Amino acid sequence: MSKIKFNELPLSDDVLRAIDEMGFTTPSKIQEKAIPEIIKGRDLIGQAQTGTGKTLAFGSALLSELHHSDHIQAIVLSPTRELASQIYEQFKRIGKYTDLRFTCVYGGSEIEKQIRTIKRGVDVLIGTPGRVMDLMRRKVVKLDHLVYFVLDEADEMLSKGFLETIKEIISLIPNTAKILLFSATMPKGIVEMTTKFMKDPAKILVKNEELTLEGIKQYYVYLKKEDKLDVLFQIYRGIEIAQAIIYCNTKKVVDYVSEELKKKGHMISSIHGDLKQFERDSVMRYFRSGVTRVLVTTDLLARGIDVYQVSLVINYEM
């Protein structure tokens, strides 16, 4: 962690007040390094693992610089609906004492409602690439007054096939807009995009060894495929857990593991891309509140999901 305090960073009084209420006093490395560069008005590439506070880094800087207007001033793109919703909630907390307006858009929810919200006036638009592109084609989202364009979890967007959509959106933003890119890794497609679209970006790398992982123990077990489910039952019965996440590679395996655990009388929820949005929202709401103790999922929830009571994570498949 940094030795400086948040109130030593060039953030607005309104944002600092909200950060103080959130219980943060000392910035993480990515926050300490990224915030001053964003405030200076530079394009930025921030490479840091999930859990290092990237959302607070760009969120606090943006909301310190933006002022209420009748136009969209910032767009934040996220690879999944769940992450987009989480960024939106974080922005509401950071911007609590500002007069800025935020909204979140993604597929699977009513687009007409999203259109009405945007037409009433939004300063920061947070969403998934596909839905943002759709709203741009409908002439609802206009980029003429855009100040910031943020890509969060950029490598996840690449793996989910959003690269061409993102390139199309970036090609339409004003030349004066600042591009901020945050990612855990920098695959070739992301590097090529930064070279093409970004202007002399500040580059910030937070190395993995700087992350605080004390108290997390990791184990791996060699098993035959036919023994995995029995061992999963034994682990589940043998360890006292607050909440647990079980990761599987495919939707089919998520459904299989969930059903087998339910047959044993366990209260299990599951989530994957085939669920309707209201079902996904409901599952996450119950899991975050602690009503559901175990969640079986694909890598849909592999990045940045804040569920603080999780004490066990099982990768059922590599």
Side-chain angles (χ1 to χ4, degrees):
M1 296 294 285
S2 168
K3 293 181 180 179
I4 73 168
K5 303 296 183 182
F6 268 109
N7 59 16
E8 298 176 66
L9 294 172
L11 298 171
S12 72
D13 290 341
D14 287 337
V15 167
L16 286 171
R17 182 182 173 190
I19 290 174
D20 183 63
E21 279 193 10
M22 293 163 70
F24 299 121
T25 56
T26 305
S28 67
K29 287 292 184 182
I30 190 69
Q31 292 161 359
E32 177 191 348
K33 295 177 180 180
I35 289 170
E37 298 295 341
I38 297 171
I39 298 291
K40 288 176 187 174
R42 296 189 66 182
D43 285 2
L44 183 138
I45 300 169
Q47 184 177 354
Q49 281 192 336
T50 295
T52 51
K54 297 191 290 292
T55 303
L56 185 58
F58 64 76
S60 61
L62 265 61
L63 301 186
S64 290
E65 291 292 288
L66 297 178
H67 302 282
H68 175 74
S69 80
D70 295 324
H71 312 285
I72 294 174
Q73 301 175 71
I75 291 178
V76 181
L77 293 188
S78 179
T80 68
R81 304 165 190 175
E82 284 73 23
L83 278 176
S85 295
Q86 190 163 286
I87 293 169
Y88 169 65
E89 293 299 327
Q90 184 87 324
F91 265 63
K92 287 200 296 184
R93 289 192 290 269
I94 302 167
K96 178 179 179 180
Y97 296 107
T98 73
D99 57 0
L100 297 168
R101 299 161 300 174
F102 324 107
T103 195
C104 186
V105 299
Y106 43 72
S109 57
E110 186 183 346
I111 192 168
E112 293 301 327
K113 183 178 179 181
Q114 295 172 357
I115 290 172
R116 289 194 297 271
T117 300
I118 293 169
K119 286 184 174 179
R120 285 196 296 267
V122 168
D123 296 296
V124 180
L125 180 71
I126 300 153
T128 51
R131 179 50 59 94
V132 170
M133 188 74 251
D134 189 3
L135 290 166
M136 287 172 60
R137 288 172 178 154
R138 292 171 182 241
K139 309 297 183 185
V140 176
V141 170
K142 300 174 182 177
L143 307 180
D144 310 52
H145 297 85
L146 200 70
V147 181
Y148 292 104
F149 182 78
V150 184
L151 291 173
D152 190 32
E153 304 290 1
D155 52 352
E156 277 291 288
M157 291 202 224
L158 179 66
S159 70
K160 294 183 184 301
F162 289 132
L163 186 60
E164 293 308 313
T165 302
I166 292 167
K167 285 181 179 178
E168 185 175 355
I169 296 172
I170 292 183
S171 69
L172 298 172
I173 69 175
N175 290 330
T176 54
K178 301 305 176 186
I179 300 174
L180 312 177
L181 184 149
F182 291 85
S183 188
T185 61
M186 288 290 163
K188 183 179 178 182
I190 298 300
V191 173
E192 290 175 351
M193 187 170 63
T194 62
T195 303
K196 182 176 181 180
F197 294 106
M198 301 180 80
K199 300 178 286 291
D200 187 30
K203 297 178 180 178
I204 297 170
L205 170 64
V206 175
K207 296 180 180 179
N208 293 354
E209 57 264 26
E210 294 181 14
L211 300 182
T212 302
L213 295 174
E214 291 91 351
I216 297 179
K217 297 180 180 179
Q218 302 189 53
Y219 304 91
Y220 64 92
V221 183
Y222 285 112
L223 292 170
K224 293 180 180 179
K225 184 177 180 180
E226 57 268 25
D227 295 332
K228 289 170 69 173
L229 197 61
D230 286 338
V231 173
L232 179 64
F233 291 149
Q234 292 174 36
I235 292 172
Y236 184 81
R237 288 196 303 265
I239 297 178
E240 185 175 337
I241 61 170
Q243 286 182 285
I245 300 178
I246 301 171
Y247 284 109
C248 306
N249 283 346
T250 65
K251 304 166 189 175
K252 183 178 179 180
V253 178
V254 166
D255 289 338
Y256 168 70
V257 171
S258 299
E259 288 305 313
E260 292 301 315
L261 284 167
K262 287 175 183 176
K263 287 177 185 177
K264 297 284 186 179
H266 303 299
M267 292 290 292
I268 305 293
S269 289
S270 61
I271 190 168
H272 53 60
D274 279 355
L275 294 183
K276 294 178 181 178
Q277 188 57 44
F278 77 88
E279 294 175 309
R280 289 165 64 165
D281 291 343
S282 178
V283 168
M284 288 307 299
R285 185 167 58 253
Y286 282 121
F287 190 56
R288 282 196 175 98
S289 67
V291 173
T292 306
R293 291 181 60 230
V294 179
L295 180 65
V296 186
T297 181
T298 58
D299 66 355
L300 184 73
L301 302 182
R303 289 283 182 91
I305 296 297
D306 294 332
V307 184
Y308 297 106
Q309 297 302 313
V310 171
S311 59
L312 176 67
V313 176
I314 296 174
N315 290 296
Y316 188 75
E317 302 173 283
M318 291 297 292

